[in-house]
Amino acid sequence: MSGEPAMSGDGARAELTIDLGALADNWRKLAETAVGAECAAVVKADAYGVGAEPAVRALARAGCRTFFVAHTSEGARARAALGAGEGFRIFVLNGGALDAAAPSAYAEHGLRPVLGSLAEIEAWGARGGGSAAALHIDTGMNRLGISSGDIDRALALAATGGFRFELAMSHFVSSEEPADPLNDRQIDAFRKALEKLPGVAASLANSSGVFLPQKPFFDLVRPGYALYGGNPLPGQPNPMRPVVRLVAPIIQLRDIAPGATVGYNGQWTAKRPTRLATIGVGYADGFPRNLMATESRAGGEAMVLSQRCRFAGRVSMDLIVIDVTDVRDTALALGTPVELLSENIGVDDVGARAGTIGYEVLTSLGRRYRRRYIGGV
Ligand SMILES: *Cc1c(COP(=O)(O)O)cnc(C)c1O
């Protein structure tokens, strides 16, 4: 499952390394933290950009038995990676409304829908019920899920439809902010809803939810982001291992005089004799254009020979320019690797510098990188 070999003349491409050993360690850590609960894995959006098939297989080898995806097509990919026979469950989070018209996908790939409205529950029953389903109960997100007042009606519709709920779930609004009083309100509302669902397994916590002081583990936790190395505890040290590493070789070095500008629209001006390094990564690779460094914003950072360096000017479609003046190492040369994501520069850092979140950085990881998977067994 290693990436395709470099073509000759393709040495300018960046390399994205995905550490499946770190992914498995992160799952084990989450499973150990959520004492007494099963630890599932959310692998939607191509496993947050790292590659669904290798991620799903590595997680299964680590012991994960329950997976969540957003779409049936993602569920089919996860099923193909897992195989049919070994008791793996795959839930489809967006799995109700429109998919009810294509029921065969669930049967064919052994998927379970997460039903989030009375209409979806009725439709799932009307088409024969099929497998058991999960029930999504809204406790404040107002996105998907039935309101708790509709649980009796949901149970009646499921009985009529000849199926049962094997999981009841809800989703946190702000679990990454432990002081937000909404967390307690949601936990209470979920507990109350569960009183009407005796014998049904329950799930509330996403990545940050696993680390809440209330320990809202219930029967099953559903982390995604933390598996892939994102920090579930913003503002605190990251307890997870980094999973992605992005390194690009320098494809040009140049020296410019004070007063010269760099990049489109001349938004960055050299204040001293400056050495610049250009790398072949840009916004077309999902590296945020908002990491541009101008007079008014600090922009992105990269590590070059153990020295932290700043971006210079705008991020182009295929190129970024970096100020390497302070790299005194005589090894600095064409081909020197520039770290864009690593143990030194995390997805959360990049997200914050770009005015977004690490989730978006991960799920935008480009298709042009040479991808290399390590740590699989
Ligand atoms: C995406 C998602 C998760 C995983 O959330 P993370 O913050 O990535 O851990 C869990 N549950 C639901 C319903 C989701 O949509």
Side-chain angles (χ1 to χ4, degrees), residues 58-118:
L59 289 161
R61 276 196 302 271
C64 185
R65 289 293 170 267
T66 301
F67 297 85
F68 287 83
V69 294
H71 301 291
T72 45
S73 53
E74 295 176 341
R77 278 176 69 189
R79 176 59 72 195
L82 289 167
E86 298 179 60
F88 296 110
R89 295 189 297 172
I90 303 169
F91 287 100
V92 181
L93 288 166
N94 299 2
L98 303 175
D99 282 346
S104 59
Y106 287 90
E108 189 180 334
H109 305 290
L111 310 178
R112 294 155 150 84
V114 178
L115 303 175
S117 73
L118 294 176

Side-chain angles (χ1 to χ4, degrees), residues 25-276:
D25 276 356
N26 288 341
W27 181 82
R28 283 185 212 102
K29 170 153 199 129
L30 290 156
E32 281 161 19
T33 306
V35 178
E38 177 185 349
C39 187
V42 180
V43 295
K44 61 194 179 191
D46 200 25
Y48 288 52
V50 310
E53 287 84 1
V56 160
R57 283 197 210 100
L59 289 161
R61 276 196 302 271
C64 185
R65 289 293 170 267
T66 301
F67 297 85
F68 287 83
V69 294
H71 301 291
T72 45
S73 53
E74 295 176 341
R77 278 176 69 189
R79 176 59 72 195
L82 289 167
E86 298 179 60
F88 296 110
R89 295 189 297 172
I90 303 169
F91 287 100
V92 181
L93 288 166
N94 299 2
L98 303 175
D99 282 346
S104 59
Y106 287 90
E108 189 180 334
H109 305 290
L111 310 178
R112 294 155 150 84
V114 178
L115 303 175
S117 73
L118 294 176
E120 289 176 13
I121 295 165
E122 193 164 18
W124 183 251
R127 38 144 298 204
S131 70
L135 175 64
H136 193 156
I137 301 160
D138 183 75
T139 53
M141 187 70 109
N142 284 313
R143 196 173 66 165
L144 295 173
I146 65 164
S147 57
S148 16
D150 282 336
I151 292 176
D152 289 333
R153 185 93 189 97
L155 287 169
L157 285 171
T160 306
F163 70 96
R164 66 188 177 82
F165 296 115
E166 69 175 306
L167 183 71
M169 54 166 272
S170 191
H171 194 44
F172 277 119
V173 171
S174 319
S175 56
E176 78 286 2
E177 292 171 26
D180 193 323
L182 197 47
N183 293 320
D184 270 331
R185 289 214 294 278
Q186 287 191 275
I187 292 167
D188 287 348
F190 190 52
R191 282 228 165 83
K192 212 157 266 134
L194 292 177
E195 286 169 11
K196 298 196 159 189
L197 296 159
V200 179
S203 174
L204 178 58
N206 66 333
S207 296
S208 295
V210 171
F211 294 90
L212 279 174
Q214 295 93 331
K215 301 187 190 299
F217 307 146
F218 296 93
D219 300 294
L220 179 140
V221 295
R222 308 186 308 271
Y225 189 51
L227 291 169
Y228 310 103
N231 189 356
L233 301 166
Q236 294 181 55
N238 188 350
M240 314 317 297
R241 289 185 57 193
V243 170
V244 295
R245 179 179 173 80
L246 179 61
V247 174
I250 294 176
I251 59 174
Q252 183 161 133
L253 278 166
R254 66 200 300 129
D255 294 292
I256 61 169
T261 66
V262 177
Y264 284 117
N265 308 110
Q267 293 292 293
W268 189 94
T269 306
K271 303 210 165 47
R272 55 178 178 169
T274 298
R275 171 154 270 213
L276 300 170

